[in-house]
Each structure stands twice: as C-alpha cells, then as structure tokens.
Amino acid sequence: MTTGVDLGPQAQAIGSDEDVVRVRQMVRAVAVAVKLSLVDQTKVVTAASELARNTLVYGGGGSAEVTTVDNGRRKGVRIVFADSGPGIADLDLALTDGYTTGGGLGLGLSGSRRLVDEFEIETSAETGTRITVTKWSR
Ligand SMILES: Nc1ncnc2c1ncn2[C@@H]1O[C@H](COP(=O)(O)OP(=O)(O)OP(=O)(O)O)[C@@H](O)[C@H]1O
Ligand SMILES: [Mg+2]
C-alpha cells in the first residue's frame, strides 16, 4: 500500500516528442505530491519541458530522472536531465536571453533558470550535458 506522496526516483528516456510529454506528466505528478502551489507546479513543469526539449534537440536524446527531495523543512521536486551530446561550448552565452544555435527563441535555458530555485549545469564535449533543477514548496 503506497501513500502516493513518497514517490521514489522515476526515470524517463527522452527520445521523442511523446517522451517530452511524459516528462511533463511525471514532473506535474511529483510537484502535486510534494504540494507545490499551482503556480509553482506550472513553473517547474514549464522549465522541465524546455530542458527536456533541449535534451532531445541538442543533446540527441537522453534521460530525465524525477525525485522528491526533503530538507527537513520543505519538500520539493528535483529533475536531472542528462545527455551524451556535444556539450555546451560557451555556457554564459547559452544562458543569455535570446541566444540560440537552433533557430529557437533562445529562452529555454535562461527562462528555466528563472523558474526554479536551484539550477546547476555540468557540461563538456566529452561527457555531454547534465542539468539539475530543484523547486521547493513554500
Ligand atoms: N543539452 C544541450 N546540449 C548541447 N547544447 C545545448 C543543450 N541545451 C542547450 N544547448 C545550447 O544552448 C542554446 C540555448 O538554449 P535555449 O534552450 O536557451 O534556446 P533554444 O533551445 O535555442 O531556443 P528555445 O528554447 O527558446 O526554443 C541552444 O541553442 C544550444 O546551442
Ligand atoms: Mg531550448
């Protein structure tokens, strides 16, 4: 018997548009489970959607892992996006509003960073890109 609140890690491969939708659904479910407000649910789902799309388009596919986090005071949702793509050569530039190498709006990374509480990127040409985001309940 599960309570529905204590969701363990959930992994989702990202190889298609449908997978991006699945990531959105997983993030929404965990955000609800940790009692994020409706506004914060939408923020973290939007960020996850952008990052999943980047994983697909620029990373050549990869994965998302969604977990609950608990710091003793608050709960939250954490998502790790990983790909084995070419990496991001100039991270500062990539995080600039409007910068795109793919003809997009160039708002995915910069916008995502603003929508979450914690945002970490590890990237290299050898290992690809790993982005970890966290949104806490308040
Ligand atoms: N996982 C990734 N691997 C390699 N490069 C990436 C990755 N994610 C982002 N980038 C690079 O960073 C740039 C900026 O990403 P961002 O999401 O902000 O913009 P975009 O995807 O080009 O446009 P938008 O998301 O607004 O449609 C991308 O154009 C791409 O060059
Ligand atoms: Mg993008």
Side-chain angles (χ1 to χ4, degrees), residues 50-51 53-59 83 85-89 93-96 98-111 123 129 131:
E50 290 295 330
L51 296 173
R53 183 147 299 286
N54 283 351
T55 299
L56 179 63
V57 173
Y58 302 107
D83 67 59
I88 302 173
L93 197 54
L95 283 164
T96 304
Y99 176 80
T100 178
T101 61
L105 291 175
L107 291 172
L109 277 182
S110 55
T123 186
T129 300
I131 302 182

PDB file of all heavy atoms in Angstrom, residues 50-51 53-59 83 85-89 93-96 98-111 123 129 131, ligand 1:
ATOM      1  N   GLU A  50      11.143  22.700 -21.251  1.00  0.00           N
ATOM      2  CA  GLU A  50      12.212  23.346 -22.031  1.00  0.00           C
ATOM      3  C   GLU A  50      13.503  22.527 -21.992  1.00  0.00           C
ATOM      4  O   GLU A  50      14.178  22.360 -23.014  1.00  0.00           O
ATOM      5  CB  GLU A  50      12.487  24.754 -21.493  1.00  0.00           C
ATOM      6  CG  GLU A  50      11.366  25.751 -21.758  1.00  0.00           C
ATOM      7  CD  GLU A  50      11.161  26.033 -23.238  1.00  0.00           C
ATOM      8  OE1 GLU A  50      12.136  25.965 -24.007  1.00  0.00           O
ATOM      9  OE2 GLU A  50      10.014  26.320 -23.632  1.00  0.00           O
ATOM     10  N   LEU A  51      13.836  22.041 -20.801  1.00  0.00           N
ATOM     11  CA  LEU A  51      15.093  21.304 -20.661  1.00  0.00           C
ATOM     12  C   LEU A  51      15.007  19.943 -21.335  1.00  0.00           C
ATOM     13  O   LEU A  51      15.980  19.474 -21.942  1.00  0.00           O
ATOM     14  CB  LEU A  51      15.459  21.188 -19.180  1.00  0.00           C
ATOM     15  CG  LEU A  51      15.726  22.552 -18.517  1.00  0.00           C
ATOM     16  CD1 LEU A  51      15.904  22.398 -17.011  1.00  0.00           C
ATOM     17  CD2 LEU A  51      16.957  23.228 -19.135  1.00  0.00           C
ATOM     18  N   ARG A  53      13.190  19.321 -23.942  1.00  0.00           N
ATOM     19  CA  ARG A  53      13.261  19.603 -25.386  1.00  0.00           C
ATOM     20  C   ARG A  53      14.711  19.855 -25.818  1.00  0.00           C
ATOM     21  O   ARG A  53      15.138  19.377 -26.863  1.00  0.00           O
ATOM     22  CB  ARG A  53      12.375  20.808 -25.702  1.00  0.00           C
ATOM     23  CG  ARG A  53      12.287  21.185 -27.153  1.00  0.00           C
ATOM     24  CD  ARG A  53      10.935  21.750 -27.512  1.00  0.00           C
ATOM     25  NE  ARG A  53       9.868  20.792 -27.274  1.00  0.00           N
ATOM     26  CZ  ARG A  53       9.634  19.717 -28.043  1.00  0.00           C
ATOM     27  NH1 ARG A  53      10.392  19.468 -29.097  1.00  0.00           N
ATOM     28  NH2 ARG A  53       8.662  18.883 -27.734  1.00  0.00           N
ATOM     29  N   ASN A  54      15.475  20.578 -25.001  1.00  0.00           N
ATOM     30  CA  ASN A  54      16.898  20.774 -25.324  1.00  0.00           C
ATOM     31  C   ASN A  54      17.649  19.446 -25.335  1.00  0.00           C
ATOM     32  O   ASN A  54      18.515  19.226 -26.189  1.00  0.00           O
ATOM     33  CB  ASN A  54      17.550  21.710 -24.310  1.00  0.00           C
ATOM     34  CG  ASN A  54      17.205  23.171 -24.539  1.00  0.00           C
ATOM     35  OD1 ASN A  54      16.606  23.541 -25.541  1.00  0.00           O
ATOM     36  ND2 ASN A  54      17.581  23.995 -23.579  1.00  0.00           N
ATOM     37  N   THR A  55      17.329  18.580 -24.365  1.00  0.00           N
ATOM     38  CA  THR A  55      17.966  17.263 -24.306  1.00  0.00           C
ATOM     39  C   THR A  55      17.714  16.503 -25.604  1.00  0.00           C
ATOM     40  O   THR A  55      18.622  15.882 -26.168  1.00  0.00           O
ATOM     41  CB  THR A  55      17.410  16.464 -23.107  1.00  0.00           C
ATOM     42  OG1 THR A  55      17.711  17.165 -21.906  1.00  0.00           O
ATOM     43  CG2 THR A  55      17.994  15.057 -23.044  1.00  0.00           C
ATOM     44  N   LEU A  56      16.487  16.600 -26.092  1.00  0.00           N
ATOM     45  CA  LEU A  56      16.110  15.915 -27.325  1.00  0.00           C
ATOM     46  C   LEU A  56      16.797  16.538 -28.541  1.00  0.00           C
ATOM     47  O   LEU A  56      17.417  15.835 -29.348  1.00  0.00           O
ATOM     48  CB  LEU A  56      14.582  15.983 -27.482  1.00  0.00           C
ATOM     49  CG  LEU A  56      13.974  15.345 -28.725  1.00  0.00           C
ATOM     50  CD1 LEU A  56      14.235  13.836 -28.743  1.00  0.00           C
ATOM     51  CD2 LEU A  56      12.470  15.629 -28.779  1.00  0.00           C
ATOM     52  N   VAL A  57      16.689  17.868 -28.647  1.00  0.00           N
ATOM     53  CA  VAL A  57      17.108  18.551 -29.884  1.00  0.00           C
ATOM     54  C   VAL A  57      18.632  18.696 -29.965  1.00  0.00           C
ATOM     55  O   VAL A  57      19.233  18.391 -30.992  1.00  0.00           O
ATOM     56  CB  VAL A  57      16.444  19.939 -29.981  1.00  0.00           C
ATOM     57  CG1 VAL A  57      16.991  20.743 -31.155  1.00  0.00           C
ATOM     58  CG2 VAL A  57      14.927  19.786 -30.101  1.00  0.00           C
ATOM     59  N   TYR A  58      19.249  19.167 -28.879  1.00  0.00           N
ATOM     60  CA  TYR A  58      20.687  19.467 -28.915  1.00  0.00           C
ATOM     61  C   TYR A  58      21.527  18.326 -28.363  1.00  0.00           C
ATOM     62  O   TYR A  58      22.673  18.157 -28.754  1.00  0.00           O
ATOM     63  CB  TYR A  58      20.996  20.754 -28.148  1.00  0.00           C
ATOM     64  CG  TYR A  58      20.248  21.935 -28.692  1.00  0.00           C
ATOM     65  CD1 TYR A  58      19.178  22.493 -28.000  1.00  0.00           C
ATOM     66  CD2 TYR A  58      20.591  22.477 -29.925  1.00  0.00           C
ATOM     67  CE1 TYR A  58      18.478  23.566 -28.505  1.00  0.00           C
ATOM     68  CE2 TYR A  58      19.891  23.548 -30.448  1.00  0.00           C
ATOM     69  CZ  TYR A  58      18.833  24.095 -29.741  1.00  0.00           C
ATOM     70  OH  TYR A  58      18.135  25.142 -30.253  1.00  0.00           O
ATOM     71  N   GLY A  59      20.967  17.594 -27.408  1.00  0.00           N
ATOM     72  CA  GLY A  59      21.720  16.502 -26.808  1.00  0.00           C
ATOM     73  C   GLY A  59      21.590  15.202 -27.585  1.00  0.00           C
ATOM     74  O   GLY A  59      22.250  14.213 -27.252  1.00  0.00           O
ATOM     75  N   ASP A  83      22.394  14.048 -21.052  1.00  0.00           N
ATOM     76  CA  ASP A  83      22.571  13.566 -22.425  1.00  0.00           C
ATOM     77  C   ASP A  83      24.053  13.364 -22.689  1.00  0.00           C
ATOM     78  O   ASP A  83      24.896  13.819 -21.920  1.00  0.00           O
ATOM     79  CB  ASP A  83      21.941  14.542 -23.442  1.00  0.00           C
ATOM     80  CG  ASP A  83      22.640  15.891 -23.517  1.00  0.00           C
ATOM     81  OD1 ASP A  83      23.855  15.936 -23.815  1.00  0.00           O
ATOM     82  OD2 ASP A  83      21.965  16.917 -23.279  1.00  0.00           O
ATOM     83  N   GLY A  85      25.432  14.281 -25.597  1.00  0.00           N
ATOM     84  CA  GLY A  85      25.615  15.080 -26.805  1.00  0.00           C
ATOM     85  C   GLY A  85      26.916  15.862 -26.794  1.00  0.00           C
ATOM     86  O   GLY A  85      27.840  15.537 -26.033  1.00  0.00           O
ATOM     87  N   PRO A  86      26.986  16.915 -27.602  1.00  0.00           N
ATOM     88  CA  PRO A  86      28.238  17.653 -27.822  1.00  0.00           C
ATOM     89  C   PRO A  86      28.636  18.593 -26.693  1.00  0.00           C
ATOM     90  O   PRO A  86      29.727  19.158 -26.717  1.00  0.00           O
ATOM     91  CB  PRO A  86      27.938  18.452 -29.094  1.00  0.00           C
ATOM     92  CG  PRO A  86      26.451  18.663 -29.049  1.00  0.00           C
ATOM     93  CD  PRO A  86      25.889  17.404 -28.438  1.00  0.00           C
ATOM     94  N   GLY A  87      27.757  18.746 -25.688  1.00  0.00           N
ATOM     95  CA  GLY A  87      28.046  19.702 -24.624  1.00  0.00           C
ATOM     96  C   GLY A  87      27.760  21.132 -25.081  1.00  0.00           C
ATOM     97  O   GLY A  87      27.458  21.369 -26.256  1.00  0.00           O
ATOM     98  N   ILE A  88      27.819  22.046 -24.139  1.00  0.00           N
ATOM     99  CA  ILE A  88      27.560  23.460 -24.433  1.00  0.00           C
ATOM    100  C   ILE A  88      28.900  24.186 -24.340  1.00  0.00           C
ATOM    101  O   ILE A  88      29.495  24.264 -23.262  1.00  0.00           O
ATOM    102  CB  ILE A  88      26.546  24.052 -23.437  1.00  0.00           C
ATOM    103  CG1 ILE A  88      25.230  23.255 -23.476  1.00  0.00           C
ATOM    104  CG2 ILE A  88      26.287  25.530 -23.746  1.00  0.00           C
ATOM    105  CD1 ILE A  88      24.209  23.654 -22.410  1.00  0.00           C
ATOM    106  N   ALA A  89      29.360  24.689 -25.477  1.00  0.00           N
ATOM    107  CA  ALA A  89      30.724  25.229 -25.551  1.00  0.00           C
ATOM    108  C   ALA A  89      30.880  26.462 -24.669  1.00  0.00           C
ATOM    109  O   ALA A  89      31.842  26.577 -23.917  1.00  0.00           O
ATOM    110  CB  ALA A  89      31.073  25.558 -26.998  1.00  0.00           C
ATOM    111  N   LEU A  93      27.166  32.286 -22.610  1.00  0.00           N
ATOM    112  CA  LEU A  93      26.449  32.708 -23.815  1.00  0.00           C
ATOM    113  C   LEU A  93      25.122  31.940 -23.920  1.00  0.00           C
ATOM    114  O   LEU A  93      24.071  32.535 -24.188  1.00  0.00           O
ATOM    115  CB  LEU A  93      27.331  32.430 -25.035  1.00  0.00           C
ATOM    116  CG  LEU A  93      26.980  33.130 -26.335  1.00  0.00           C
ATOM    117  CD1 LEU A  93      26.895  34.642 -26.141  1.00  0.00           C
ATOM    118  CD2 LEU A  93      28.027  32.788 -27.396  1.00  0.00           C
ATOM    119  N   ALA A  94      25.166  30.645 -23.693  1.00  0.00           N
ATOM    120  CA  ALA A  94      23.957  29.824 -23.819  1.00  0.00           C
ATOM    121  C   ALA A  94      22.884  30.254 -22.818  1.00  0.00           C
ATOM    122  O   ALA A  94      21.689  30.101 -23.074  1.00  0.00           O
ATOM    123  CB  ALA A  94      24.300  28.349 -23.625  1.00  0.00           C
ATOM    124  N   LEU A  95      23.325  30.813 -21.690  1.00  0.00           N
ATOM    125  CA  LEU A  95      22.374  31.253 -20.654  1.00  0.00           C
ATOM    126  C   LEU A  95      21.886  32.682 -20.877  1.00  0.00           C
ATOM    127  O   LEU A  95      21.115  33.206 -20.077  1.00  0.00           O
ATOM    128  CB  LEU A  95      23.014  31.127 -19.271  1.00  0.00           C
ATOM    129  CG  LEU A  95      23.060  29.689 -18.730  1.00  0.00           C
ATOM    130  CD1 LEU A  95      24.037  29.577 -17.575  1.00  0.00           C
ATOM    131  CD2 LEU A  95      21.665  29.233 -18.307  1.00  0.00           C
ATOM    132  N   THR A  96      22.343  33.305 -21.959  1.00  0.00           N
ATOM    133  CA  THR A  96      21.908  34.660 -22.284  1.00  0.00           C
ATOM    134  C   THR A  96      20.551  34.612 -22.989  1.00  0.00           C
ATOM    135  O   THR A  96      20.368  33.828 -23.914  1.00  0.00           O
ATOM    136  CB  THR A  96      22.949  35.335 -23.222  1.00  0.00           C
ATOM    137  OG1 THR A  96      24.222  35.305 -22.587  1.00  0.00           O
ATOM    138  CG2 THR A  96      22.558  36.765 -23.526  1.00  0.00           C
ATOM    139  N   GLY A  98      17.890  34.985 -25.522  1.00  0.00           N
ATOM    140  CA  GLY A  98      17.898  35.225 -26.963  1.00  0.00           C
ATOM    141  C   GLY A  98      18.997  34.513 -27.715  1.00  0.00           C
ATOM    142  O   GLY A  98      19.002  34.502 -28.943  1.00  0.00           O
ATOM    143  N   TYR A  99      19.939  33.874 -26.997  1.00  0.00           N
ATOM    144  CA  TYR A  99      20.999  33.153 -27.703  1.00  0.00           C
ATOM    145  C   TYR A  99      20.507  31.771 -28.115  1.00  0.00           C
ATOM    146  O   TYR A  99      20.030  30.998 -27.277  1.00  0.00           O
ATOM    147  CB  TYR A  99      22.252  33.000 -26.833  1.00  0.00           C
ATOM    148  CG  TYR A  99      23.313  32.169 -27.515  1.00  0.00           C
ATOM    149  CD1 TYR A  99      24.150  32.724 -28.479  1.00  0.00           C
ATOM    150  CD2 TYR A  99      23.439  30.803 -27.236  1.00  0.00           C
ATOM    151  CE1 TYR A  99      25.097  31.954 -29.135  1.00  0.00           C
ATOM    152  CE2 TYR A  99      24.395  30.020 -27.887  1.00  0.00           C
ATOM    153  CZ  TYR A  99      25.213  30.605 -28.837  1.00  0.00           C
ATOM    154  OH  TYR A  99      26.144  29.840 -29.477  1.00  0.00           O
ATOM    155  N   THR A 100      20.618  31.478 -29.404  1.00  0.00           N
ATOM    156  CA  THR A 100      20.223  30.159 -29.896  1.00  0.00           C
ATOM    157  C   THR A 100      21.141  29.734 -31.024  1.00  0.00           C
ATOM    158  O   THR A 100      21.599  30.570 -31.801  1.00  0.00           O
ATOM    159  CB  THR A 100      18.763  30.157 -30.405  1.00  0.00           C
ATOM    160  OG1 THR A 100      18.444  28.868 -30.927  1.00  0.00           O
ATOM    161  CG2 THR A 100      18.542  31.206 -31.494  1.00  0.00           C
ATOM    162  N   THR A 101      21.443  28.453 -31.101  1.00  0.00           N
ATOM    163  CA  THR A 101      22.151  27.927 -32.270  1.00  0.00           C
ATOM    164  C   THR A 101      21.179  27.138 -33.146  1.00  0.00           C
ATOM    165  O   THR A 101      21.566  26.575 -34.153  1.00  0.00           O
ATOM    166  CB  THR A 101      23.316  26.997 -31.872  1.00  0.00           C
ATOM    167  OG1 THR A 101      22.778  25.886 -31.138  1.00  0.00           O
ATOM    168  CG2 THR A 101      24.345  27.723 -31.031  1.00  0.00           C
ATOM    169  N   GLY A 102      19.935  27.081 -32.719  1.00  0.00           N
ATOM    170  CA  GLY A 102      18.998  26.215 -33.424  1.00  0.00           C
ATOM    171  C   GLY A 102      17.786  26.932 -33.990  1.00  0.00           C
ATOM    172  O   GLY A 102      16.822  26.298 -34.385  1.00  0.00           O
ATOM    173  N   GLY A 103      17.834  28.258 -34.050  1.00  0.00           N
ATOM    174  CA  GLY A 103      16.702  28.994 -34.599  1.00  0.00           C
ATOM    175  C   GLY A 103      15.504  29.052 -33.670  1.00  0.00           C
ATOM    176  O   GLY A 103      14.389  29.310 -34.107  1.00  0.00           O
ATOM    177  N   GLY A 104      15.737  28.806 -32.375  1.00  0.00           N
ATOM    178  CA  GLY A 104      14.657  28.944 -31.397  1.00  0.00           C
ATOM    179  C   GLY A 104      14.582  30.380 -30.899  1.00  0.00           C
ATOM    180  O   GLY A 104      15.164  31.292 -31.496  1.00  0.00           O
ATOM    181  N   LEU A 105      13.884  30.579 -29.805  1.00  0.00           N
ATOM    182  CA  LEU A 105      13.815  31.912 -29.204  1.00  0.00           C
ATOM    183  C   LEU A 105      15.013  32.173 -28.291  1.00  0.00           C
ATOM    184  O   LEU A 105      15.270  33.306 -27.899  1.00  0.00           O
ATOM    185  CB  LEU A 105      12.526  32.072 -28.392  1.00  0.00           C
ATOM    186  CG  LEU A 105      11.229  32.132 -29.194  1.00  0.00           C
ATOM    187  CD1 LEU A 105      10.038  32.159 -28.253  1.00  0.00           C
ATOM    188  CD2 LEU A 105      11.207  33.332 -30.125  1.00  0.00           C
ATOM    189  N   GLY A 106      15.720  31.123 -27.953  1.00  0.00           N
ATOM    190  CA  GLY A 106      16.874  31.290 -27.072  1.00  0.00           C
ATOM    191  C   GLY A 106      16.489  31.638 -25.649  1.00  0.00           C
ATOM    192  O   GLY A 106      17.229  32.282 -24.916  1.00  0.00           O
ATOM    193  N   LEU A 107      15.313  31.172 -25.248  1.00  0.00           N
ATOM    194  CA  LEU A 107      14.811  31.491 -23.903  1.00  0.00           C
ATOM    195  C   LEU A 107      14.671  30.261 -23.014  1.00  0.00           C
ATOM    196  O   LEU A 107      14.300  30.378 -21.857  1.00  0.00           O
ATOM    197  CB  LEU A 107      13.447  32.187 -24.008  1.00  0.00           C
ATOM    198  CG  LEU A 107      13.475  33.600 -24.586  1.00  0.00           C
ATOM    199  CD1 LEU A 107      12.056  34.106 -24.815  1.00  0.00           C
ATOM    200  CD2 LEU A 107      14.235  34.551 -23.663  1.00  0.00           C
ATOM    201  N   GLY A 108      14.971  29.101 -23.565  1.00  0.00           N
ATOM    202  CA  GLY A 108      14.752  27.857 -22.814  1.00  0.00           C
ATOM    203  C   GLY A 108      15.608  27.763 -21.566  1.00  0.00           C
ATOM    204  O   GLY A 108      15.105  27.592 -20.454  1.00  0.00           O
ATOM    205  N   LEU A 109      16.922  27.881 -21.741  1.00  0.00           N
ATOM    206  CA  LEU A 109      17.835  27.740 -20.600  1.00  0.00           C
ATOM    207  C   LEU A 109      17.675  28.902 -19.626  1.00  0.00           C
ATOM    208  O   LEU A 109      17.530  28.705 -18.414  1.00  0.00           O
ATOM    209  CB  LEU A 109      19.284  27.706 -21.079  1.00  0.00           C
ATOM    210  CG  LEU A 109      19.863  26.390 -21.581  1.00  0.00           C
ATOM    211  CD1 LEU A 109      21.318  26.607 -21.958  1.00  0.00           C
ATOM    212  CD2 LEU A 109      19.745  25.309 -20.530  1.00  0.00           C
ATOM    213  N   SER A 110      17.713  30.117 -20.149  1.00  0.00           N
ATOM    214  CA  SER A 110      17.651  31.297 -19.279  1.00  0.00           C
ATOM    215  C   SER A 110      16.301  31.365 -18.570  1.00  0.00           C
ATOM    216  O   SER A 110      16.233  31.680 -17.375  1.00  0.00           O
ATOM    217  CB  SER A 110      17.897  32.570 -20.094  1.00  0.00           C
ATOM    218  OG  SER A 110      16.998  32.659 -21.180  1.00  0.00           O
ATOM    219  N   GLY A 111      15.240  31.053 -19.297  1.00  0.00           N
ATOM    220  CA  GLY A 111      13.907  31.075 -18.687  1.00  0.00           C
ATOM    221  C   GLY A 111      13.763  30.002 -17.628  1.00  0.00           C
ATOM    222  O   GLY A 111      13.226  30.246 -16.540  1.00  0.00           O
ATOM    223  N   THR A 123      28.720  20.449 -18.026  1.00  0.00           N
ATOM    224  CA  THR A 123      28.721  20.150 -19.456  1.00  0.00           C
ATOM    225  C   THR A 123      30.138  20.092 -19.980  1.00  0.00           C
ATOM    226  O   THR A 123      31.007  20.838 -19.535  1.00  0.00           O
ATOM    227  CB  THR A 123      27.889  21.215 -20.229  1.00  0.00           C
ATOM    228  OG1 THR A 123      27.791  20.839 -21.607  1.00  0.00           O
ATOM    229  CG2 THR A 123      28.470  22.612 -20.111  1.00  0.00           C
ATOM    230  N   THR A 129      25.933  16.755 -21.392  1.00  0.00           N
ATOM    231  CA  THR A 129      25.345  17.800 -20.538  1.00  0.00           C
ATOM    232  C   THR A 129      24.451  17.179 -19.480  1.00  0.00           C
ATOM    233  O   THR A 129      23.672  16.263 -19.762  1.00  0.00           O
ATOM    234  CB  THR A 129      24.533  18.783 -21.416  1.00  0.00           C
ATOM    235  OG1 THR A 129      25.407  19.372 -22.372  1.00  0.00           O
ATOM    236  CG2 THR A 129      23.877  19.880 -20.572  1.00  0.00           C
ATOM    237  N   ILE A 131      21.973  18.636 -16.381  1.00  0.00           N
ATOM    238  CA  ILE A 131      21.362  19.814 -15.758  1.00  0.00           C
ATOM    239  C   ILE A 131      20.443  19.351 -14.636  1.00  0.00           C
ATOM    240  O   ILE A 131      19.585  18.487 -14.845  1.00  0.00           O
ATOM    241  CB  ILE A 131      20.568  20.658 -16.786  1.00  0.00           C
ATOM    242  CG1 ILE A 131      21.503  21.096 -17.925  1.00  0.00           C
ATOM    243  CG2 ILE A 131      19.915  21.872 -16.112  1.00  0.00           C
ATOM    244  CD1 ILE A 131      20.851  21.981 -18.977  1.00  0.00           C
TER     245      ILE A 131
HETATM  246  N1  LIG B   1      21.585  19.748 -23.878  1.00  0.00           N
HETATM  247  C1  LIG B   1      22.244  20.581 -24.680  1.00  0.00           C
HETATM  248  N2  LIG B   1      23.332  20.153 -25.377  1.00  0.00           N
HETATM  249  C2  LIG B   1      24.020  20.998 -26.199  1.00  0.00           C
HETATM  250  N3  LIG B   1      23.695  22.291 -26.396  1.00  0.00           N
HETATM  251  C3  LIG B   1      22.624  22.770 -25.728  1.00  0.00           C
HETATM  252  C4  LIG B   1      21.845  21.954 -24.844  1.00  0.00           C
HETATM  253  N4  LIG B   1      20.863  22.718 -24.331  1.00  0.00           N
HETATM  254  C5  LIG B   1      21.018  23.943 -24.857  1.00  0.00           C
HETATM  255  N5  LIG B   1      22.072  23.985 -25.702  1.00  0.00           N
HETATM  256  C6  LIG B   1      22.581  25.168 -26.446  1.00  0.00           C
HETATM  257  O1  LIG B   1      22.165  26.337 -25.756  1.00  0.00           O
HETATM  258  C7  LIG B   1      21.429  27.175 -26.637  1.00  0.00           C
HETATM  259  C8  LIG B   1      20.368  27.924 -25.849  1.00  0.00           C
HETATM  260  O2  LIG B   1      19.358  27.014 -25.396  1.00  0.00           O
HETATM  261  P1  LIG B   1      17.908  27.579 -25.147  1.00  0.00           P
HETATM  262  O3  LIG B   1      17.017  26.487 -24.710  1.00  0.00           O
HETATM  263  O4  LIG B   1      18.040  28.772 -24.257  1.00  0.00           O
HETATM  264  O5  LIG B   1      17.477  28.125 -26.577  1.00  0.00           O
HETATM  265  P2  LIG B   1      16.915  27.330 -27.843  1.00  0.00           P
HETATM  266  O6  LIG B   1      16.628  25.898 -27.498  1.00  0.00           O
HETATM  267  O7  LIG B   1      17.878  27.555 -28.955  1.00  0.00           O
HETATM  268  O8  LIG B   1      15.562  28.093 -28.121  1.00  0.00           O
HETATM  269  P3  LIG B   1      14.185  27.948 -27.301  1.00  0.00           P
HETATM  270  O9  LIG B   1      14.434  27.005 -26.141  1.00  0.00           O
HETATM  271  O10 LIG B   1      13.856  29.341 -26.810  1.00  0.00           O
HETATM  272  O11 LIG B   1      13.228  27.419 -28.276  1.00  0.00           O
HETATM  273  C9  LIG B   1      20.881  26.244 -27.701  1.00  0.00           C
HETATM  274  O12 LIG B   1      20.586  26.925 -28.909  1.00  0.00           O
HETATM  275  C10 LIG B   1      22.050  25.270 -27.859  1.00  0.00           C
HETATM  276  O13 LIG B   1      23.077  25.818 -28.646  1.00  0.00           O
END
